[in-house]
């Protein structure tokens, strides 16, 4: 067991090789849609059925994809470290399915749905939970509509206190597959640098915050991570 405290932050790039499209590659659209049409509270207010169906399709797609060697490499890394924290911006469950059960999802999860009235969320992945029609909660006296359990643009990311505390105390901060466009995730590397951690990046192309990292590896996460992780303390 290594005594190094490792914090890993992943983004959409780590799931790309599993067949889930990233947000900002190529045409700038997410699954044929502009982000603001599907991932904002305003979009949900304006056309909830459209947004609901978009996320129901993402939830069904999740059942068809598998973790790739990059997810597996991070599970191996976790097994070698007593102090290991995995933070993801991704809403899929591929880290968990590769073996990282306690992944922190700062932008929410596809697997769960949230009651609009009470804010309670629960895993809802049964056959009847994946339909195109709205679902209602079972937590309120008068059933309320469920919404995707996703942090949309303009909403507060989840678990930030825990995330800041982990990054402030780590020895190694590794970021995989994130374009560095979305704050506060993109600013965590600065906190890690200030804490004296070694900062490492694995990404297909240089992200906007590439200069903040001490070590940069450009290429596919599934190809780079397994060997990189072998060589980490
Ligand atoms: N291996 C490594 N990196 C890759 C790969 C790969 N196989 N494929 C793509 N990438 C890189 C891209 O070059 C890009 O820089 O992954 C990055 C993905 O960037 P984004 O699509 O912007 O994803 P992310 O940084 O996770 O977005 C942050 O934005 O829309 C919101 O809430 C959403 O969590 C998301 C947040």
């Amino acid at each position: 067991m290594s005594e190094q405290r490792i914090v890993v932050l992943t983004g959409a790039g780590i799931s790309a090789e599993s067949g889930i499209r990233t947000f900002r590659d190529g045409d700038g659209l997410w699954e044929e849609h502009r982000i603001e049409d599907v991932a904002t509270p305003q979009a949900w207010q304006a056309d909830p059925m459209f947004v609901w169906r978009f996320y129901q399709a993402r939830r069904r797609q999740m059942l068809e994809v598998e973790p790739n060697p990059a997810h597996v490499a991070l599970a191996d890394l976790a097994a070698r470290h007593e102090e290991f924290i995995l933070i993801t911006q991704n809403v899929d469950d591929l880290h968990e399915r590769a073996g990282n059960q306690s992944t922190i999802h700062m932008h929410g999860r596809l697997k769960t749905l949230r009651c609009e009235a009470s804010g309670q969320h629960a895993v809802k992945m049964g056959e009847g939970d994946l339909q195109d029609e709205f679902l209602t909660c079972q937590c309120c006296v008068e059933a309320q509509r469920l919404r995707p359990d996703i942090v949309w643009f303009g909403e507060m990311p989840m678990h930030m206190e825990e995330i800041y505390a982990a990054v402030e105390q780590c020895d190694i901060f590794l970021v995989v597959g994130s374009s560095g466009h979305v704050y506060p995730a993109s600013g965590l590397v600065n906190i890690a640098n200030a804490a004296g951690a070694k900062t490492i990046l694995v990404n297909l192309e240089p992200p906007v915050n590439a200069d903040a990292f001490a070590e940069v590896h450009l290429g596919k996460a599934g190809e780079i991570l397994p060997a990189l992780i072998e060589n980490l303390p």
Side-chain angles (χ1 to χ4, degrees):
M1 279 278 170
S2 164
E3 284 176 6
Q4 295 281 302
R5 291 164 297 186
I6 301 209
V7 173
V8 181
L9 169 71
T10 63
I14 198 168
S15 293
E17 288 158 78
S18 293
I20 300 182
R21 283 178 47 189
T22 59
F23 300 93
R24 292 177 185 78
D25 285 326
D27 52 13
L29 297 180
W30 183 27
E31 301 280 355
E32 273 76 57
H33 297 290
R34 296 188 313 152
I35 288 178
E36 53 270 38
D37 290 342
V38 289
T40 59
Q42 291 78 7
W44 176 246
Q45 253 168 14
D47 194 347
M49 184 53 89
F50 179 75
V51 173
W52 174 255
R53 289 188 172 166
F54 176 80
Y55 282 96
Q56 287 297 73
R58 307 278 72 73
R59 280 155 46 76
R60 291 191 294 265
Q61 177 195 40
M62 197 169 72
L63 295 175
E64 287 160 21
V65 296
E66 297 292 334
N68 68 55
H71 297 104
V72 174
L74 290 182
D76 293 345
L77 186 65
R80 291 199 337 241
H81 288 83
E82 227 155 86
E83 295 198 57
F84 175 93
I85 292 179
L86 176 55
I87 305 160
T88 189
Q89 298 166 85
N90 299 345
V91 292
D92 65 56
D93 65 352
L94 294 176
H95 282 308
E96 284 84 351
R97 282 160 56 198
N100 285 113
Q101 293 310 332
S102 46
T103 304
I104 300 173
H105 286 266
M106 62 187 296
H107 293 165
R109 292 189 293 166
L110 285 171
K111 223 176 139 156
T112 48
L113 293 173
R114 192 191 313 162
C115 170
E116 277 197 286
S118 74
Q120 278 193 45
H121 58 88
V123 174
K124 294 261 179 204
M125 288 299 288
E127 217 171 288
D129 298 327
L130 297 167
Q131 65 200 26
D132 273 345
E133 299 313 311
F134 285 128
L135 294 172
T136 50
C137 72
Q138 279 133 26
C139 60
C140 299
V141 176
E142 205 172 305
Q144 302 288 324
R145 191 170 61 184
L146 289 167
R147 61 161 270 182
D149 197 14
I150 302 291
V151 176
W152 286 321
F153 279 94
E155 295 183 322
M156 282 288 283
M158 298 170 174
H159 313 294
M160 285 316 295
E161 246 176 69
E162 195 183 343
I163 290 171
Y164 285 131
V167 176
E168 276 161 15
Q169 288 163 31
C170 72
D171 300 306
I172 297 176
F173 182 63
L174 168 64
V175 175
V176 185
S178 183
S179 63
H181 280 288
V182 177
Y183 191 82
S186 59
L188 293 175
V189 61
N190 303 321
I191 296 173
N193 281 326
K198 179 175 183 182
T199 51
I200 309 173
L201 169 78
V202 176
N203 209 62
L204 194 57
E205 300 159 343
V208 287
N209 59 352
D211 287 350
F213 291 84
E215 203 177 297
V216 174
H217 302 263
L218 295 182
K220 289 187 174 180
E223 291 168 9
I224 292 177
L225 262 191
L228 179 79
I229 275 166
E230 282 284 299
N231 292 321
L232 283 181

